[in-house]
């Protein structure tokens, strides 16, 4: 299909058979991808302020390796990949800006490598556009520099599908095999269950095509990444089945839950929509979400007509399977859950857009280019607007935790210390304390143990306005602070 998104690469110049030097060809092939990755990194540093502070889940992951505070309770669904990812910085520095810069640079490099794996499967201009579409989403920019697993599952899935397709096309491509194993390990390292959903079509294809070496490589990568999680299940959670059951319970019980409307509500900048109530965001904020599957299907139609179906169909299938549990099996929503699907769907969407702006006929092409350009401009403005709003609100929330930690220190609750109650997990990290809970998803102690701890260590219980303190804290001194009431007990020798 001449002029289509899937036109053959590597054409010679019309003036003759001259072939560019190898280094020049590589620069032409990788340059646009490097630019996209560099702009993505720079945008994170400029728009997602490095001083934003750590979120709730981030404090859990970082506390596992940070000397700044004791390790928070590590619940069943979590995996150790993020903690190990941040360890090179968090293990020796408590600087959040430094950690953000490190993750922003690392996420940009990961995006470049994932896009680079697709060279030869799509034209470079389509890959650059796909990278730009994914990187410009507010949720991608927001979570790229955060100590969270979903972005890393996304780039791992993107690279895994490319390496799988390259290995299918060329049995001697050892780099593709190594890339497939590494990508599978990265996904399982971060979120083992997501890794299974993301690679399900690849596993089925390998079985169907009887590509046993590909099946073995992919399974080996997944097993290597998930080994720590599986071993920990038997050491700390009562076995693999028990850990999976506990993880399901923490997520409200996995089953048939149509969470499509919940995901729509989260698109306005809600980091966690649980319970997911309230009005839907303005249609302008959600229009892109409805356009995404339509453009992806159009990209598949273009690929079928160009006889390049696998390179578009496989990422589309993997994107659908990795999105399925978060759209139909969970009773709440968070926009980051769908990051792997967005990364994979960006390829067929970019192929569709590239096809639209190359339709034959000057008038039709002019109209198409104008509409696509206008649509992308509006889309970018919407994404940036939601991002700025989300960053501002999140920064204010994290500063509230910092102020609460400072008030605790003023009251004498200083390390070593223990916090319980409302939002005690992140505030404990900010204060340098341990955290404990007697009920809920993070239950790791009892009321008797907490009361005994208060005899020798500063303990504080954070009670939300209008709520009653637990029995062990009712006789402790208390002060109101920022919508909370802080009940605290400081042993005489620690004041």
């Amino acid at each position: 299909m001449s002029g289509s998104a899937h036109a053959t690469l590597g054409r010679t110049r019309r003036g003759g058979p001259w072939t560019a030097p190898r280094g020049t060809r590589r620069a032409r092939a990788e340059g646009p991808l490097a630019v996209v990755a560099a702009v993505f990194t720079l945008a994170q540093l400029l728009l997602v302020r490095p001083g934003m502070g750590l979120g709730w889940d981030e404090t859990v992951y970082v506390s596992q390796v940070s000397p700044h505070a004791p390790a928070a309770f590590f619940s069943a669904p979590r995996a150790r990949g993020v903690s190990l990812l941040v360890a090179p910085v968090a293990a020796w520095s408590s600087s959040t800006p430094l950690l953000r810069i490190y993750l922003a640079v690392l996420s940009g490099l990961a995006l470049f490598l994932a896009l680079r794996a697709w060279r030869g499967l799509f034209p470079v201009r389509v890959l650059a556009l796909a990278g730009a579409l994914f990187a410009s989403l507010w949720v991608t920019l927001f979570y790229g520099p955060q100590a969270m697993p979903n972005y890393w599952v996304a780039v791992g899935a993107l690279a895994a599908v490319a390496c799988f397709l390259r290995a299918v096309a060329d049995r001697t491509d050892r780099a593709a095999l190594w890339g497939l194993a590494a990508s599978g390990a990265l996904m399982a390292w971060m979120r083992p269950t997501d890794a299974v959903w993301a690679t399900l079509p690849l596993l089925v294809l390998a079985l169907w095509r009887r590509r046993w070496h590909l099946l073995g490589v992919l399974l080996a990568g997944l097993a290597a990444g998930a080994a720590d999680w599986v071993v920990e299940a038997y050491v700390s959670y009562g076995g693999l089945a028990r850990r999976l059951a506990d993880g399901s319970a923490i997520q409200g019980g996995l089953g048939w839950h149509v969470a499509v409307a919940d995901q729509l509500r989260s698109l306005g900048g809600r980091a966690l929509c649980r319970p997911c109530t309230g009005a839907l965001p303005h249609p302008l904020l959600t229009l892109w979400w409805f356009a995404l599957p339509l453009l992806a299907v159009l990209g598949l139609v273009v690929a079928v007509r160009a006889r390049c179906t696998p390179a578009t169909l496989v990422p589309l299938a993997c994107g659908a399977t990795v999105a399925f549990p978060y759209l139909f099996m969970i009773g709440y929503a968070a926009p980051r859950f769908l990051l792997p699907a967005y990364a994979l769907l960006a390829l067929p969407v970019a192929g569709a857009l590239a096809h639209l702006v190359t339709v034959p006929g000057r008038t039709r092409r002019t109209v198409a280019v104008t509409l696509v350009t206008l649509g992308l401009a509006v889309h970018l403005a919407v994404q940036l607007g939601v991002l700025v709003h989300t960053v501002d609100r999140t920064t204010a929330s994290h500063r509230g935790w910092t102020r609460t930690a400072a008030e605790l220190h003023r009251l004498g609750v200083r390390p070593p210390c223990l916090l319980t109650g409302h939002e005690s997990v992140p505030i404990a990290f900010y204060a340098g304390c341990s955290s404990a809970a007697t009920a809920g998803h993070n239950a790791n102690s009892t009321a008797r143990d907490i009361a005994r701890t208060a005899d020798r260590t500063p303990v504080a219980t954070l009670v939300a306005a209008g709520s009653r303190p637990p029995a062990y804290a009712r006789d402790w001194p208390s002060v109101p602070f920022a919508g909370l009431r802080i009940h605290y007990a400081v042993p005489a020798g620690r004041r």
Side-chain angles (χ1 to χ4, degrees):
M1 180 178 288
S2 178
S4 77
H6 300 274
T8 304
L9 294 173
R11 296 175 180 171
T12 59
R13 302 178 86 185
R14 292 185 180 181
W18 177 85
T19 301
R22 187 171 185 176
T24 303
R25 294 199 305 271
R26 178 174 295 181
R28 288 176 179 173
E30 298 181 359
L33 308 183
V35 169
V36 169
V39 172
F40 173 54
T41 299
L42 184 61
Q44 292 177 72
L45 297 175
L46 293 177
L47 300 174
V48 185
R49 293 185 287 271
M52 185 175 66
L54 297 178
W56 184 313
D57 293 289
E58 289 184 289
T59 63
V60 175
Y61 289 119
V62 174
S63 71
Q64 308 303 310
V65 295
S66 173
H68 172 71
F73 177 73
F74 208 73
S75 61
R78 301 186 188 277
R80 301 281 174 177
V82 173
S83 298
L84 296 176
L85 181 73
V86 302
V89 172
W92 59 270
S93 174
S94 61
S95 171
T96 300
L98 181 61
L99 182 62
R100 292 273 185 249
I101 293 171
Y102 162 74
L103 289 173
V105 172
L106 206 60
S107 63
L109 176 61
L111 179 63
F112 169 73
L113 293 176
L115 292 173
R116 185 177 181 271
W118 284 89
R119 288 183 310 162
L121 297 170
F122 280 94
V124 175
R125 66 181 184 276
V126 175
L127 295 180
L129 178 58
L133 289 173
F134 175 61
S136 62
L137 293 176
W138 76 262
V139 63
T140 309
L141 286 165
F142 186 68
Y143 284 104
Q146 292 199 41
M148 297 291 282
N150 310 87
Y151 174 82
W152 300 98
V153 175
V155 292
L158 192 61
V161 175
C163 292
F164 181 89
L165 290 172
R166 285 172 49 192
V168 167
D170 183 0
R171 288 177 174 267
T172 65
D173 192 342
R174 298 182 65 85
L177 293 176
W178 281 107
L180 179 61
S183 302
L186 174 64
M187 289 187 287
W189 194 36
M190 294 294 170
R191 288 187 70 88
T193 51
D194 282 10
V196 172
W197 284 104
T199 58
L200 188 58
L202 304 184
L203 296 170
V204 172
L205 275 174
L207 281 170
W208 179 49
R209 298 284 296 271
R210 296 183 180 181
R211 299 297 178 92
W212 308 121
H213 68 298
L214 287 182
L215 183 64
V217 167
L218 181 54
L219 288 175
L222 294 174
D228 176 73
W229 194 82
V230 173
V231 170
E232 188 179 41
Y234 287 98
V235 172
S236 303
Y237 296 92
L240 182 59
R242 177 63 181 273
R243 185 169 195 176
L244 290 170
D246 288 348
S248 174
I250 287 173
Q251 294 175 328
L254 297 180
W256 184 251
H257 299 284
V258 179
V260 175
D262 294 343
Q263 285 292 343
L264 281 172
R265 289 188 179 93
S266 73
L267 293 179
R270 299 174 66 174
L272 181 63
C273 199
R274 185 179 190 181
C276 207
T277 57
L280 294 173
H282 190 280
L284 193 61
L285 302 183
T286 60
L287 182 61
W288 70 272
W289 206 72
F290 293 102
L292 185 66
L294 297 178
L295 288 172
V297 171
L298 175 60
L300 178 60
V301 172
V302 172
V304 170
R305 291 180 176 177
R307 297 181 181 178
C308 300
T309 305
T312 298
L313 178 59
V314 176
L316 187 57
C318 291
T321 57
V322 78
F324 180 82
Y326 293 115
L327 292 175
F328 301 106
M329 293 183 64
I330 193 169
Y332 65 99
R336 59 187 170 86
F337 291 162
L338 295 182
L339 272 172
Y342 297 151
L344 291 164
L345 293 182
L347 289 163
V349 169
L353 294 177
H355 171 74
L356 289 175
V357 299
T358 57
V359 293
R362 178 177 299 180
T363 302
R364 293 174 60 190
R365 188 181 303 118
T366 300
V367 172
V369 169
T370 302
L371 291 177
V372 169
T373 302
L374 180 61
L376 291 177
V378 172
H379 172 68
L380 182 60
V382 167
Q383 298 301 313
L384 292 179
V386 175
L387 177 66
V388 170
H389 171 72
T390 304
V391 169
D392 288 344
R393 188 184 66 250
T394 304
T395 302
S397 174
H398 295 174
R399 286 175 179 169
W401 292 341
T402 300
R403 289 191 293 268
T404 303
E407 177 67 6
L408 288 166
H409 290 169
R410 188 189 70 79
L411 295 172
V413 183
R414 304 183 187 94
C417 47
L418 176 68
L419 261 61
T420 68
H422 182 70
E423 296 187 333
S424 60
V425 173
I427 295 174
F429 179 84
Y430 279 71
C433 301
S434 301
S435 59
T438 60
H441 301 154
N442 297 308
N444 62 345
S445 187
T446 65
R448 178 178 294 181
D449 288 339
I450 294 171
R452 288 176 177 175
T453 301
D455 293 335
R456 62 183 184 275
T457 301
V459 177
T461 297
L462 310 176
V463 180
S467 300
R468 290 171 57 84
Y472 61 78
R474 288 173 188 168
D475 295 331
W476 294 353
S478 66
V479 296
F481 184 81
L484 299 172
R485 179 161 286 275
I486 302 174
H487 297 254
Y488 63 98
V490 181
R494 296 291 306 275
R495 292 176 182 172

